Amino acid sequence: MEQYISQLLYRYQCVTVPGFGAFLTENRSAGLSEDTHTFYPPKKVLSFNFHLKNNDGLLANHIALSEKIEYEKAISLIEEEVTSWKYTIQKSDSIILKNIGKLSLNNESNLVFEPIDSLNYSTHSFGLTSFVSPQIKRESFKKEVEQLEEKAPIQFTPEKRNKSNSWVKYAAIFAIGLGMSAYFGNQWYQKKMDAELLLVEKNVQQKVEDKIQQATFFIESPIPSVSMNVEEEINDSFNYHLVAGAFKEERNAERALQSLKDLGYKAKKINPNKYGLHPVLYGSYSSMEEAQAALKLIKQSHNKDAWMLVLELKQ
């Protein structure tokens, strides 16, 4: 089950293991360690919360689709794996989850999570690694120059003009012109290389965003009619939202929104996420239990790829 949790951590901020706890991710910007002179790219920092144990359907649905099994069978497999984890922790006081981290019991018999540092779950850092920059010693070079000036002061002596050496002046002018041509030519070449490098970086970033978008459910055809009583009023203060799909083009999101409203859903469109996608919701709920019940009904009768988003919407 570790590989499925690891796959979901690239796309979601919260992956809940029913009956066990939730693995959370937090985006951290690029940083610099002054002690080691090391630059670090942006990353997602992993944490664990053993209080979040309710099934939100995300992990079970992902396993069911990957293994091509029924949703209930995926729930049963998760329960068996959680039982094995708990037994291993009680017996050996710790368990290691591949590409995720280590879980162990402290002196108060509470779970303590130590995340793995070798894997970065941030898609914005695709292809980026940490690197060490040597320290710049400007002050030491300045002191060395000052010492040389003190030991060997420069003395200027008047120069005697000689008409026979006038060719030297023209040679110097030619050399200066040649040097300036080489300098500006190098500047032009450097700007050209920088522009090509920027284009490559944009292409790589676009491929990453395309991969993220491909993993999102799209409504492209008319939705079949489904009878469903929806009594919940959508309220921005509700924190549990059922997502029908996320769209790169806003006009596609508007079309999907209208289709859901025509079917009787109290659907809505929320602000674009950090990838620039426009999410469309079936509805929002004030409790996890209500949201899970509605999600189960939608998966069985309408859209098996629907999923729950736990998020506090801003007014």
Side-chain angles (χ1 to χ4, degrees), residues 48 50 95 102-107 109-114:
F48 180 78
F50 63 89
I95 184 173
K102 177 181 178 182
L103 284 164
S104 59
L105 295 176
N106 59 13
N107 296 331
S109 297
N110 294 325
L111 279 176
V112 178
F113 178 63
E114 299 177 21

Side-chain angles (χ1 to χ4, degrees), residues 32-139:
L32 166 65
S33 175
E34 296 182 358
D35 296 334
T36 60
H37 306 287
T38 304
F39 290 85
Y40 297 96
K43 66 179 298 185
K44 278 187 176 181
V45 179
L46 282 179
S47 61
F48 180 78
N49 189 331
F50 63 89
H51 293 294
L52 301 177
K53 300 180 180 180
N54 293 330
N55 180 22
D56 59 3
L58 178 63
L59 179 60
N61 184 63
H62 182 64
I63 294 177
L65 293 176
S66 300
E67 298 289 342
K68 297 182 180 179
I69 59 178
E70 296 294 332
Y71 179 81
E72 289 74 14
K73 178 62 175 178
I75 293 292
S76 177
L77 293 176
I78 293 175
E79 292 176 351
E80 293 177 3
E81 188 71 10
V82 168
T83 302
S84 175
W85 285 0
K86 290 181 178 179
Y87 176 78
T88 303
I89 292 176
Q90 292 293 336
K91 185 177 180 180
S92 60
D93 294 335
S94 65
I95 184 173
I96 297 178
L97 304 180
K98 185 179 179 181
N99 293 330
I100 300 175
K102 177 181 178 182
L103 284 164
S104 59
L105 295 176
N106 59 13
N107 296 331
E108 290 77 21
S109 297
N110 294 325
L111 279 176
V112 178
F113 178 63
E114 299 177 21
I116 190 172
D117 294 330
S118 59
L119 187 61
N120 189 352
Y121 286 104
S122 174
T123 55
H124 292 287
S125 302
F126 177 78
L128 301 180
T129 59
S130 60
F131 66 92
V132 178
S133 175
Q135 183 180 8
I136 300 176
K137 300 179 180 180
R138 295 188 179 91
E139 294 298 328

